[in-house]
Amino acid sequence: MAFGGLLLAAVLLDDLADRVKLPGILLVLALGLLVDNDLRSTSEPLLSLVRADRITQSALILVLFFGGLTTNWTRMKAVIRPAARLASLGVLLTAGLLTLIGVGALIAQGKWQVGLLAQVLFVGAMLSSTDASAALSLLRPLAGRLPQRVLDLIEMESTINDPMAVVLANVALALAGGTGLATADLVTDVIRQFLLGGLLGFIGGSMISQLLMGSQSLTRGSMLPVVSLALLLVLSGGTTLMGGSPLLAAYVAGLVLGNSRAAAQEVLEEAHSSFAKMAELMLFLCLGLVVAPQNVVEAAGWALLLVLAMQLVRWLMVQLLLLRADFQSSEKRFVAWTGLRGAVPIAMAIQAWASPASWGKLMPPLALAVVLFGLLLQGFALVPIAHRLGLVLPSEESEPT
């Protein structure tokens, strides 16, 4: 009952944030932090770490599936090449450069040990994906007044960079927990997860599409969301059993289904929009509940340094990968400023805490502090920066009649 009440409060706060033009993540995280996880006055907390990990992994599947489902190749084909570079090479560059910066900082402090490599690599991977929903929510005051191609690039990059970041984070966790694990075995396991996840996602998405095309009763408005969700759960569970990545499978299946003619796309997207919104709220609420506020304060110093390093790395990465892209210099600088972090780093941080890695418990406070600093220092500057770069078109109300 208590968790249900908190979820209801999170929904109301998200609605309030929408009204006052704030990202819902900010208020929901604050709610989780302010609520005592031991409010039931028993030995068992309101939300245990094991349950939080299960909830976040399931929620991440819903978020990635919806991301694939809403990726329209016809609309996005104008930005698919630069977005793909940012989402693949960009993630690798971001994770690699953040790892080097972390290693350099530890060496400067005299704390570097080879055993810390997995931890530093995980931090780089955890913070290498972006969250377009946070940036777009802060840009609502400029709705319809920014170049659509730039917004499409931001959204497309965020949609397709999550699987790559998740794979890199899993590599770091495997290195941390792989006592006696040979490098060849680790590489083989990662490649198997990646290939199996993509293959099973494509096959599953195609089968779901064919199934929905062959049955009119399953595509009725009331049945379609239930059937698609049930099939998604079967696909993700089956992929896990076969050793593939369920997150990548969910994204690819959504991508295939969203670009097919299997069913009423508007009904499907509307239903899974609700599922994805619930999943995001659960992610933010879970992180706020399992993390103690004092731990966030303790991680604030490192988080601030990471936010500054992330902004520098993103600027370099965007300038390099969009060097020959058909974007103006002002548009590239704006894209470089929109690399906010959100749901995916939160899920990966909780996964690290639930893993055997000894440093895993340090990740949730760090991730939460980075997300909050990014919103406060970087996110709220988006609208002024868009004006300063000359990207904002005049509103219709201000045009002379």
Side-chain angles (χ1 to χ4, degrees), residues 32-43:
L33 282 173
L34 292 174
V35 173
D36 186 2
N37 196 23
D38 297 320
L39 58 82
R40 292 193 297 184
S41 300
T42 63
S43 58

Side-chain angles (χ1 to χ4, degrees), residues 243-295:
S245 169
L247 303 178
L248 183 58
Y251 174 74
V252 173
L255 192 64
V256 172
L257 186 59
N259 289 274
S260 69
R261 301 177 181 178
Q265 292 296 324
E266 293 183 1
V267 176
L268 199 60
E269 290 183 11
E270 182 178 359
H272 281 275
S273 173
S274 301
F275 296 151
K277 171 57 69 174
M278 179 190 68
E280 287 187 347
L281 293 178
M282 295 284 282
L283 281 170
F284 305 145
L285 189 57
C286 285
L287 182 62
L289 281 173
V290 299
V291 174
Q294 59 269 26
N295 293 336

Side-chain angles (χ1 to χ4, degrees), residues 74-103:
T74 302
R75 183 169 67 89
M76 296 290 191
K77 63 182 180 181
V79 297
I80 183 61
R81 290 186 178 180
R85 288 197 297 271
L86 293 176
S88 55
L89 296 176
V91 167
L92 292 173
L93 283 173
T94 301
L97 290 175
L98 287 178
T99 299
L100 289 176
I101 291 173
V103 170

Side-chain angles (χ1 to χ4, degrees), residues 191-271:
I191 293 176
R192 182 177 67 251
Q193 286 190 36
F194 194 82
L195 293 180
L196 264 180
L199 178 62
L200 294 177
F202 179 79
I203 295 174
S206 301
M207 291 179 65
I208 293 173
S209 176
Q210 293 297 321
L211 177 62
L212 295 179
M213 286 180 63
S215 176
Q216 294 184 353
S217 61
L218 294 180
T219 56
R220 291 191 310 233
S222 59
M223 290 292 294
L224 183 57
V226 179
V227 172
S228 60
L229 179 60
L231 292 172
L232 172 61
L233 295 176
V234 171
L235 172 63
S236 59
T239 303
T240 302
L241 290 175
M242 297 182 66
S245 169
L247 303 178
L248 183 58
Y251 174 74
V252 173
L255 192 64
V256 172
L257 186 59
N259 289 274
S260 69
R261 301 177 181 178
Q265 292 296 324
E266 293 183 1
V267 176
L268 199 60
E269 290 183 11
E270 182 178 359

